[in-house]
Amino acid sequence: MIFRVLTKPLPTPPPVLRQGPLRAGFFRSRLRSIALTARVGTLLGACLLVAFVTGLASHLAQHPQWGLSYPTRPVMLYRATQGLHVAVGLACIPLLLLKLWAVYPKLWQWPPARNLLHAAERSSLLLLVGSAIFELLTGLQNIFYWYSWPFFFTTVHYWTAWVLAGSVLLHVSIKWIEIKNGWSSALAESPPAIHADGDAPTPSAPTSEPTGEPAGVSRRGLLVGVGAGIALVAVTTVGETLRPLSGLDVLGPRRPDIGPQQLPINRTARAAGVRAAASDPAYRLAITGRVATPASFSLAQLQAMTQHDVRLPIACVEGWSAEASWTGVSVRGLVRNAGASQSAQVRVVSLEAGGRYRTSLLESAAVADHLTLLALRLNGAELDLDHGFPCRLIAADRPGVLQTKWVTALDVL
Amino acid sequence: MKQSVGRAIVGAIGIGFVVVGVRGILTHSHDTHPRSWITWVIAAALAHDLILAPAIAVVGVVVGRLVPRRARAAVQVGLLVSGCVLVVGLTAVLTPGGRHYADNSSLLPLAYGRNLVIVLAIVWTAIAIAIVVALRRRTRRVEAAPPSQDG
């Protein structure tokens, strides 16, 4: 019954309205075809899936939930998944534009809606296309620190990812037959290209150009061009996380060797408002919370403790990463000496007065990890103020914003 | 039949994900500013459909009219590659981020305008070489072929 209402034909609008791109045969590129659409769409879908899964992993690293948290080994895992997230996201931009180009004539199909179901399906595309462009655009702007919106990036990017993933699944479900037909038809040109629904383009009007010589790029050439563009973007940006390619990183927002002590930073001590507090000789590190004997140490006392050396990357959610040698005091040793339990969690507190990343949580697995340090030295020299002097957290597989700098307390939970 | 059940399940999961996402946007309104969010989502789609896509189409038509047939495919490939690079390169050049975080010299540390020009110059040099090589090969083929086969 409902189905009958939904599929009841709607009146066709008066033909006089059918102007401009709504006219039959307005779009004439012979490169468009369901074969192309299906292939580009599948590739885009696969890339979006990789971006979704790696993004979800990064979200879990920042907000452990559903009993899931990010693993602490291998130590290169977070830098790899987040580097992949950003690289794949950048690759999605040309793929999305190509996919939208391939189906663009359908935006102007006539009649605009055959029935209510068709109208609903077309309306859902607004959310699909809008959320896809939104995710890629905000991601691109974020890695280049271009905040032209009022919302908070990571929260919006995360929830919109669910909207996009859902819209893609719905789209695949609706278009399943077309996708199958597209894959079973050959990619090579076969005039005239006909879309499964919507208007078939008028059989190509006799052109003034002689036949026998292609009038431009072929369908394969189109894919080669976009593929080459994607590859070039990857080569000129991925060096921000893939050290061997850092010399080719000419368009990436970071270089892994540029920054104080040849290591990038996200926030300076000045921007964090901690210059005075961090340079104060009266600085103390407090061990507080659920411990048998709360303790407090000066910088000299921390320096006098057994020092450990670890080699770990700083890996930012923005996709850049850089490896460094860190020297400092074991967090596990500090809290166990104070009498914390074996399964304790630790809230790491910064000197910052406020802000979203003033504290970060070390789950019990990270507390117990012998690689988790309060670092006092970086690459053999005393920690720079901008890297978190007097001491900073460094642990395996944590987003950079959670590698808390200017640490003033370990609060055992 | 089996397949249509599978499709329906995938579609239902999709709708479920959308509901999760929209609910998340609404319940975290302090961070997400739902009104701005929906404005941005719709504006993003409209900006593509009504501005970017027509602009790309105009470029396509202009190339079809102005570029000689024999060079057209190479020029089109060059434009596709350049377009991909420009999306990222122009963001790097135009972002106010470097000025906004001026005390952080590790952030946006490169001369992006210059680098973008160099990358595009390399792309178009390669395209120009490809055109010249293709034209030469063609001329040689035409010269080598006996006239009788030419029609």
Side-chain angles (χ1 to χ4, degrees):
Chain A
M1 178 60 202
I2 293 174
F3 190 73
R4 199 176 297 167
V5 173
L6 289 176
T7 55
K8 188 166 167 248
L10 289 170
T12 304
V16 66
L17 292 177
R18 193 172 189 189
Q19 299 295 336
L22 294 165
R23 290 196 318 267
F26 180 83
F27 295 99
R28 294 219 304 244
S29 174
R30 67 207 155 72
L31 296 181
R32 291 194 178 95
S33 77
I34 56 166
L36 179 76
T37 305
R39 283 163 177 81
V40 174
T42 305
L43 188 58
L44 175 61
C47 288
L48 287 176
L49 179 65
V50 172
F52 183 64
V53 170
T54 50
L56 210 55
S58 182
H59 184 78
L60 283 173
Q62 296 190 59
H63 310 279
Q65 54 193 297
W66 316 314
L68 294 170
S69 53
Y70 202 94
T72 57
R73 293 290 185 283
V75 297
M76 295 294 164
L77 191 61
Y78 185 76
R79 109 190 268 191
T81 61
Q82 199 56 20
L84 188 64
H85 179 78
V86 170
V88 165
L90 289 178
C92 282
I93 298 174
L95 284 176
L96 177 66
L97 291 175
L98 180 59
K99 172 70 168 65
L100 292 177
W101 175 84
V103 295
Y104 190 67
K106 291 183 148 210
L107 180 66
W108 304 97
Q109 63 187 268
W110 190 267
R114 292 191 300 273
N115 53 50
L116 288 175
L117 193 64
H118 187 220
E121 184 226 310
R122 294 202 65 197
S123 313
S124 78
L125 292 176
L126 183 63
L127 202 56
L128 173 68
V129 175
S131 63
I133 299 176
F134 181 91
E135 275 303 78
L136 299 180
L137 181 68
T138 53
L140 175 68
Q141 285 190 233
N142 180 62
I143 65 170
F144 285 100
Y145 314 94
W146 190 345
Y147 301 107
S148 55
W149 51 68
F151 32 78
F152 180 65
F153 169 73
T154 50
T155 313
V156 169
H157 198 67
Y158 172 69
W159 290 112
T160 308
W162 286 98
V163 175
L164 175 57
S167 303
V168 170
L169 287 178
L170 187 61
H171 187 62
V172 169
S173 153
I174 291 171
K175 298 288 182 188
W176 185 248
I177 303 292
E178 282 96 327
I179 296 169
K180 267 191 5 186
N181 289 343
W183 270 102
S184 56
S185 55
L187 188 63
E189 271 98 312
S190 50
I194 296 173
H195 269 282
D197 61 39
D199 318 42
T202 45
S204 46
T207 53
S208 55
E209 307 192 325
T211 51
E213 193 177 353
V217 75
S218 67
R219 209 170 279 151
R220 281 186 203 285
L222 180 71
L223 291 176
V224 166
V226 173
I230 290 171
L232 190 55
V233 167
V235 164
T236 52
T237 56
V238 81
E240 68 171 353
T241 185
L242 219 55
R243 196 60 186 265
L245 291 183
S246 70
L248 293 172
D249 169 21
V250 293
L251 295 178
R254 298 285 189 154
R255 272 281 178 94
D257 56 350
I258 294 184
Q261 296 177 289
Q262 285 74 55
L263 190 72
I265 53 161
N266 237 13
R267 207 149 177 241
T268 60
R270 187 193 304 277
V274 298
R275 282 182 77 90
S279 340
D280 188 347
Y283 162 86
R284 307 287 290 184
L285 171 77
I287 316 292
T288 59
R290 298 177 57 181
V291 288
T293 49
S296 144
F297 304 101
S298 68
L299 177 58
Q301 285 173 313
L302 290 172
Q303 285 164 341
M305 292 177 185
T306 310
Q307 301 291 303
H308 300 265
D309 294 307
V310 299
R311 193 152 175 86
L312 284 177
I314 286 274
C316 184
V317 286
E318 286 144 19
W320 61 268
S321 70
E323 212 179 3
S325 293
W326 308 90
T327 306
V329 185
S330 151
V331 167
R332 178 174 66 178
L334 281 171
V335 298
R336 294 227 174 128
N337 281 346
S341 77
Q342 298 280 329
S343 60
Q345 296 192 320
V346 171
R347 185 167 300 287
V348 183
V349 184
S350 164
L351 287 167
E352 289 162 86
R356 223 174 263 267
Y357 302 110
R358 188 179 79 88
T359 70
S360 74
L361 182 73
L362 276 175
E363 290 195 284
S364 45
V367 175
D369 187 352
H370 71 276
L371 294 180
T372 304
L373 300 186
L374 284 183
L376 307 172
R377 300 176 75 78
L378 162 60
N379 292 336
E382 186 164 74
L383 211 54
D384 189 279
L385 200 53
D386 285 337
H387 278 300
F389 176 87
C391 74
R392 74 158 317 155
L393 177 67
I394 185 75
D397 288 317
R398 268 171 101 69
V401 285
L402 302 186
Q403 307 275 29
T404 308
K405 300 199 278 193
W406 313 292
V407 175
T408 185
L410 297 179
D411 188 21
V412 179
L413 307 175
Chain B
M1 188 60 208
K2 212 172 177 184
Q3 198 175 61
S4 65
V5 171
R7 283 174 63 189
I9 291 172
V10 170
I13 294 173
I15 292 172
F17 277 23
V18 171
V19 169
V20 166
V22 170
R23 220 190 59 161
I25 293 285
L26 293 176
T27 53
H28 296 79
S29 58
H30 180 69
D31 275 356
T32 57
H33 300 248
R35 269 165 191 271
S36 316
W37 177 78
I38 195 65
T39 308
W40 270 75
V41 168
I42 293 173
L46 293 181
H48 169 270
D49 291 351
L50 303 179
I51 301 171
L52 184 60
I56 293 173
V58 166
V59 172
V61 169
V62 169
V63 168
R65 298 251 165 96
L66 297 187
V67 178
R69 280 175 86 75
R70 284 177 220 164
R72 202 176 295 161
V75 169
Q76 284 168 328
V77 168
L79 286 170
L80 288 169
V81 175
S82 304
C84 295
V85 172
L86 279 171
V87 169
V88 172
L90 282 181
T91 308
V93 170
L94 297 175
T95 177
R99 291 195 300 281
H100 196 253
Y101 303 95
D103 66 334
N104 183 353
S105 58
S106 74
L107 186 148
L108 302 169
L110 309 174
Y112 294 100
R114 183 203 67 185
N115 291 358
L116 180 60
V117 169
I118 293 173
V119 171
L120 291 177
I122 293 171
V123 168
W124 285 100
T125 306
I127 296 296
I129 292 171
I131 292 172
V132 170
V133 168
L135 287 183
R136 281 220 182 135
R137 202 177 287 161
R138 212 187 110 84
T139 321
R140 224 175 292 146
R141 227 181 17 235
V142 170
E143 280 168 1
S148 60
Q149 286 185 8
D150 223 1

